[in-house]
Every structure is written in structure tokens, then in C-alpha cells.
Amino acid sequence: MTASGQYEEVDLAVEEALALVKEGGAVVPDDSGTTGAPRPASASAPAPASAPAPRGDGPGDTAGHHAATPWQQARGVAGRAARRPGTPVSVPLDAALGLVLAAPLTALTDLPSFDTSAMDGWAVAGPGPWDVRPEGVLAGHDAPAPLTDGEAVPIATGARIPQDASAVLRSEHGRSDDNGRLHATRKVVHGQDIRPRGQECRSGDPLLPLGTLVTPAVLGLAAAAGYDTVSALPRPRAEVLVLGDELLTGGRPHDGLIRDALGPMLPPWLRALGAEVVAVRRLGDDAQALRKALEDSDADLVVTTGGTAAGPVDHVHPILRGLGAELLVDGVKVRPGHPMLLARLKENQHLVGLPGNPLAAVSGLLTLAEPLLRTLSGRTAPEPYALPLQDTVHGHPYDTRLVPVVLREDRAVPLHYNGPAMLRSVAVADALAVVPPGGARPGQELEILDLPWAMAGIEVCFT
């Protein structure tokens, strides 16, 4: 039971349990991917040179760790795969949220553009008491008549300060005598509660550098500084191809058919990573339909689900070979999600092949799609950080594991139900913890991969 008390402990997925190396005569996989008789953990048996490297997250995949790309290296390859971001475009402010500035933001005006009142009260000139003018000064009106010493005028927050005013007296700090003269109830300091012209910036001052993520606050600053549009990098265009004859789009699972979890999950997740999802196509296990979809696609990124292993209906590899695609990553040393892949289809078009198991697909998104989309959209990489682990996490003997966690009081609490086909943990997780080969003990610091909605907020992520 975790600290939260919500999640029951379950065993590791079968394929991971089979791969765990135990002390003293454990059954361990030999390098060909088969399970041999019990032998000491120190024994070694070199694999035959002709031994194949099975694909997939199944129990026969333990040999694949030799051919697969290390997890950190795969992320680096994905981040460098795109040649360049898109061509900058001019975007109205109401459509720019979540984009990245393609040019520095400089002030088009002084901020504020005139002396303004910071409070409701009276603009006063010279020492008090003051004679009060009957007409007040409201925001949005032309400059009021100048004041002379001994005069005051009611003023609203944001209104222009009359010429020769020396301060603003807040409403709660003034009182009128029987003759209608205004008195201060506390000391008045010259310039108090006046926002002078250019206090925040002067016209032409740099405000934000190129590469800044457009957040709601950035939109507000741009508007205040005089902008109607900003120069930004366009969102990379992504297309999702859902493979598998066994998938249902509605109702309950039945007769060997299961619900498609990735079709509903991937588009918003890709949008959270900065992409514009232009299409979601369900192709079943039709090799010709997959080939045609890839030939016809003009998206910057094509994401496929399933079909990346070597089974009878796993068509992704043969079709990529037939199209002359450049395979950049073919399998990653990570669990779940080992059979993910990254390919370059055209000069500026890539394909990320995700495993069909849902949590394995999440692993593929964060390993390959996130770095690629980050480069395409011009976003900077988040600063890596680590947190101590609250509970023990079992590891794979060779591969990195990505385990859903919740963050509680500067600790990462691992969640159960973390098998490749399970989404129960990641649905409530704040992040994934990067568990090194061999596992991690309580108190050990692990790299944390924040989930996009946990670190940026729903509106920023899913615009």
C-alpha cells in the first residue's frame, strides 16, 4: 500500500518478473532471449552470433536489450532528429497561447504611457488641507486641468494624473471638514501612489527574449505593450494512425475485442506537447492502408500505435523499409515501451511508432515524441531535476524503467498498476520516475519527468 492508501500493490508485469535477476541460483534469461535452467547469477553464456533480437515487451524480449538504444541516448536522438523548427508566423494574441516567440518582444510604448493613479482617492497638489474640485477624474479620459498648490480632485485608479499634482491621497486616508476641505489622516509623501510614465518600461525596451513560451501572462504583457499579434513558431502538425483489428471505438469489450484507449488519449497528449493534431485515422491491421496513409501524410509527425514488433500483423517495419525511411531509433532500453521506434520519412517528416500497450505508449511519447516536438516547436528543454523515492521500486536488469509517481512533500511516491497495458496509475500521476537498471531503494534520488498538465496547467497545455 502506498502512502496515499489508494493503490493496492500488484506484481510486476510477467515480462519484467521473468527478467529480474535474483541472487543465488535464480532462473535468468540467457542472451538469446530464452529461459534456461537455474544457475548462479555470476554464470555467463554468450549468445550465438546468429541469435535474433525479438521485439516487444514480452517475456521473449530479453535479448533485445543488446540491439536497442539506451533510454537517454534515444531521447537525445529524438531531440536532434528535426532539422529545424517551422517558419515563423504572425499570430493574433487570442491564438498564440502555448506557442513560442520567434522574435524578441520589445515595448511599443512606455508602460504606463502616462502618469496614472495607483489608487482611488484624490490627486493633491502641495501640502494640505486642500480645496476639492467638484468634478472627478476617471480612467480613460483626456488629461484633466492642472492643479495648483492647495487643490485636490477626486481620482479613480488608472486615471491620468493632473499636471502639477504631487501625490495621490487614498480614499481611506482622507477626511473632509465642515467647510468641505480635505485633510490627510496620515503623512503624505511626494509621488505616493502615482505610477510614473515608463515605470515598467520605455518604448523600445526589450521585454521577453526569442524562445519564450507564450503563457497567459505573456499575452497580457504583449497586449499592454501595444501588440495585436506576435511572431511565433507554428505548432508542429501531427497525425495519429491507430492500428489493430481488435479495437473498439465504443461500448464494452467483448468477444476478444477491446476498447481503443490510445485514440482518445494521444491527440490531447500531443497537443499538451505542443502539436496541432490534424487527423486521427483508424486503419486496423491493413498494411496497404498504412502504406497509403504514410505516403499521403503531410504532417510533421506521424504517430502510429502498435505494429512495431515482429508479429504476423506488425506491418510498421516492413512498410518503413519499403518507403525507404531512415530508422533512427529501433527499440529502446526502457520498460514499458521497449519496441518503440523513430524514423525519418522525408527531410522534415518523422514517424514515432508507439507500442500498442497504453502505458508503453505513454513511455514512447515521453521518450521520443516529446523531444522531437520540443525541437519542432522551438521550446527549451525543462531543467532536469531529481527527487528522493519513498518506496522501493523493482528494476529491470538491463533497461531503464519509467514508473508513474505522485509527488508528496518533496518525495516521489511510486504507484502500482504500472504494467505496460495499465493506465490506472498514470491517470492519477504527477510524473514518471526514471528508475535505473537494477531498481531503486527508498531515499534514492531519481530523475523526474513531469507530466505536461502537472507542470503547466490545463489551459496552457491543451489550447
Side-chain angles (χ1 to χ4, degrees):
M1 187 79 80
T2 68
S4 66
Q6 300 178 60
Y7 310 104
E8 298 178 6
E9 183 170 359
V10 296
D11 292 336
L12 289 173
V14 172
E15 63 273 13
E16 293 171 349
L18 289 173
L20 290 173
V21 179
K22 299 180 179 178
E23 295 292 336
V27 177
V28 298
D30 68 21
D31 286 340
S32 67
T34 59
T35 303
R39 60 180 181 179
S42 60
S44 61
S50 59
R55 304 179 191 277
D57 270 330
D61 186 39
T62 51
H65 70 274
H66 289 298
T69 303
W71 180 75
Q72 288 283 12
Q73 181 181 336
R75 282 174 58 84
V77 171
R80 296 186 299 270
R83 309 294 194 199
R84 62 182 184 276
T87 302
V89 292
S90 180
V91 184
L93 294 187
D94 61 3
L97 186 65
L99 299 182
V100 169
L101 294 181
L105 198 72
T106 58
L108 301 180
T109 181
D110 296 344
L111 283 181
S113 54
F114 45 82
D115 294 348
T116 64
S117 177
M119 293 288 170
D120 292 335
W122 299 269
V124 299
W130 301 273
D131 293 322
V132 181
R133 291 181 182 173
E135 72 281 1
V137 183
L138 300 177
H141 289 240
D142 289 338
L147 291 178
T148 60
D149 281 356
E151 280 191 312
V153 63
I155 194 166
T157 301
R160 298 182 66 147
I161 295 293
Q163 184 180 337
D164 298 327
S166 54
V168 169
L169 179 65
R170 300 186 185 190
S171 298
E172 61 269 26
H173 297 161
R175 64 174 179 81
S176 298
D177 62 22
D178 294 340
N179 298 318
R181 305 195 76 200
L182 176 67
H183 295 258
T185 59
R186 62 178 59 187
K187 183 179 179 181
V188 177
V189 178
H190 186 84
Q192 75 178 28
D193 289 325
I194 293 177
R195 295 181 183 137
R197 177 174 181 169
Q199 182 184 49
E200 185 170 2
C201 63
R202 289 290 185 180
S203 180
D205 282 353
L207 298 177
L208 296 171
L210 177 150
T212 298
L213 180 68
V214 178
T215 64
V218 169
L219 293 175
L221 176 61
Y227 286 85
D228 298 317
T229 63
V230 292
S231 177
L233 296 172
R235 290 181 176 87
R237 302 171 74 252
E239 183 171 0
V240 178
L241 305 179
V242 180
L243 311 181
D245 287 342
E246 73 279 15
L247 300 178
L248 294 167
T249 59
R252 299 179 184 180
H254 63 86
D255 301 325
L257 302 176
I258 61 173
R259 280 295 298 270
D260 169 27
L262 298 183
M265 180 175 74
L266 292 182
W269 203 311
L270 290 167
R271 285 194 288 271
L273 296 176
E276 175 192 354
V277 179
V278 296
V280 179
R281 306 182 195 281
R282 290 175 169 81
L283 304 181
D285 288 318
D286 187 329
Q288 292 306 313
L290 175 58
R291 180 181 182 115
K292 186 174 189 309
L294 294 181
E295 289 174 333
D296 293 346
S297 177
D298 61 356
D300 302 298
L301 171 64
V302 179
V303 177
T304 61
T305 70
T308 56
V313 292
D314 291 334
H315 302 305
V316 174
H317 279 89
I319 287 176
L320 290 177
R321 286 194 296 270
L323 294 175
E326 179 185 1
L327 206 54
L328 304 177
V329 173
D330 189 10
V332 177
K333 293 183 180 181
V334 67
R335 304 297 169 129
H338 173 270
M340 66 183 74
L341 63 85
L342 171 65
R344 180 174 290 122
L345 299 174
K346 301 170 188 173
E347 177 66 18
N348 292 304
Q349 185 183 51
H350 293 81
L351 178 142
V352 168
L354 300 177
N357 279 323
L359 189 57
V362 168
S363 175
L365 278 176
L366 296 181
T367 301
L368 299 178
E370 187 274 333
L372 178 66
L373 288 170
R374 187 190 334 124
T375 299
L376 286 172
S377 61
R379 298 188 183 194
T380 57
E383 285 292 325
Y385 74 100
L387 287 176
L389 195 63
Q390 178 163 298
D391 305 314
T392 297
V393 175
H394 296 293
H396 188 276
Y398 316 113
D399 298 347
T400 299
R401 285 190 73 208
L402 300 182
V403 176
V405 295
V406 291
L407 308 182
R408 297 290 183 267
E409 298 181 353
D410 298 326
R411 283 188 169 269
V413 182
L415 301 175
H416 303 287
Y417 302 106
N418 53 27
M422 299 179 179
L423 288 174
R424 186 170 172 180
S425 290
V426 76
V428 295
D430 299 313
L432 299 185
V434 182
V435 180
R441 63 188 183 279
Q444 183 174 343
E445 291 204 342
L446 299 183
E447 181 180 355
I448 300 297
L449 301 179
D450 285 314
L451 297 178
W453 42 88
M455 64 182 177
I458 294 294
E459 286 300 319
V460 172
C461 288
F462 298 112
T463 297

